[in-house]
Amino acid sequence: PLGVDVRDVEFTYDGGTPALRRTSLSVAPGEHVGISGPSGAGKTTLARLLLRLWVPDSGTITFASGDGRTVDSWALPEPSFRRMVTLVEQDSPVFHGSVLDNMHLADPAATEEDVLDALDRAGLPLGGKRWTSGVDTLIGEQGMSLSGGERARFCLARALLLKPKLLVLDETTASLDAASERALLDAVSRLAGETTVITISHRESTLAACDRRVQLGV
Ligand code: ADP
Ligand code: ADP
């Protein structure tokens, strides 16, 4: 698992007011940290900075491996970075085609066994349900036909396929019913120690599953 140290990070969107003001935050390797804060506090901005989708105006983001080595976020080459740090958003896109097709978009080299393993780890086990298309496993099902809860776990599975060392969940449970939220959080808790998890949420029941909480924008 990968720890992360966010140090004095500032970020302003073009023409906007500051979205993050001198924000610092440290997450140890293997930890599961919850991030809360009012709407507009910069939580999604922080997630996108962690993912290198935006560049901080100032400050640093440093990753730390379990053996204590640290590396500046921008020093990592793009292909390995994209596998190391993954993001699941509230509405991560699901594309036309089967679940297997969607998985191959994330990792063309993934075998069917890899895909079934990722689905299992995300709480969508082989043979867990008989799918409408008549297949025994989820992989042949149309990605777009999944229910909201299945879709959220599918998006988690797609992220897990890449074997991330740091997983960022941005309001992934926001639109889920309690049972689907539970199923997703159970899968996340099974990652303990193996993957560092940063969970952004405004939902008390989701934050309660984290080891520790950090509040932004206060
Ligand atoms: P949160 O996730 O805590 O609700 P955000 O990171 O989405 O906060 O937003 C922080 C601030 O940045 C808000 O003032 C928001 O309006 C602004 N903002 C977010 N995304 C953009 C964008 N793409 N362009 C301009 N301003 C943005
Ligand atoms: P290149 O591949 O051309 O060498 P980099 O991958 O180093 O470029 O950087 C890509 C972008 O990230 C550039 O906009 C650069 O300004 C920015 N950047 C590079 N290093 C850092 C850093 N340490 N902190 C913040 N931004 C950085």
Side-chain angles (χ1 to χ4, degrees):
L2 208 58
V4 62
D5 187 58
V6 174
R7 194 55 45 204
D8 297 331
V9 163
E10 300 189 288
F11 184 80
T12 302
Y13 292 96
D14 282 345
T17 53
L20 278 180
R21 301 170 193 266
R22 288 185 75 86
T23 299
S24 297
L25 159 79
S26 230
V27 178
E31 206 178 8
H32 182 187
V33 170
I35 297 186
S36 62
S39 180
K43 302 183 295 298
T44 290
T45 302
L46 176 64
R48 292 180 176 172
L49 290 169
L50 288 170
L51 266 288
R52 286 200 336 199
L53 302 178
W54 299 105
V55 184
D57 296 333
S58 61
T60 55
I61 299 179
T62 309
F63 293 102
S65 53
D67 61 13
R69 275 182 304 158
T70 61
V71 58
D72 184 281
S73 166
W74 291 93
L76 298 163
E78 184 66 16
S80 54
F81 181 80
R82 287 291 151 226
R83 289 182 166 266
M84 209 176 283
V85 184
T86 64
L87 173 67
V88 182
E89 296 177 288
Q90 179 176 358
D91 289 306
S92 286
V94 175
F95 302 101
H96 180 75
S98 69
V99 162
L100 187 61
D101 295 336
N102 271 271
M103 290 293 212
H104 280 150
L105 288 174
D107 182 0
T111 64
E112 198 170 304
E113 195 186 340
D114 295 333
V115 169
L116 289 172
D117 178 61
L119 290 168
D120 184 57
R121 299 206 301 141
L124 290 165
L126 182 62
K129 168 178 166 182
R130 221 175 154 82
W131 301 92
T132 52
S133 58
V135 292
D136 285 329
T137 76
L138 176 61
I139 58 172
E141 196 67 15
Q142 288 297 303
M144 309 233 221
S145 73
L146 302 179
S147 72
E150 288 161 359
R151 181 183 168 124
R153 276 172 281 154
F154 160 70
C155 290
L156 175 65
R158 183 172 54 183
L160 295 182
L161 190 63
L162 303 178
K163 302 194 163 58
K165 294 186 161 44
L166 172 65
L167 176 67
V168 182
L169 305 175
D170 187 3
E171 295 287 6
T172 309
T173 63
S175 59
L176 301 184
D177 61 35
S180 296
E181 178 195 28
R182 189 72 260 150
L184 187 89
L185 293 175
D186 284 349
V188 171
S189 70
R190 288 195 296 272
L191 304 173
E194 168 191 341
T195 306
T196 307
V197 184
I198 297 178
T199 297
I200 295 169
S201 182
H202 66 274
R203 215 167 146 167
E204 180 53 35
S205 48
T206 294
L207 295 167
C210 304
D211 301 333
R212 177 166 70 88
R213 299 181 195 193
V214 173
Q215 199 169 0
L216 274 196
V218 288

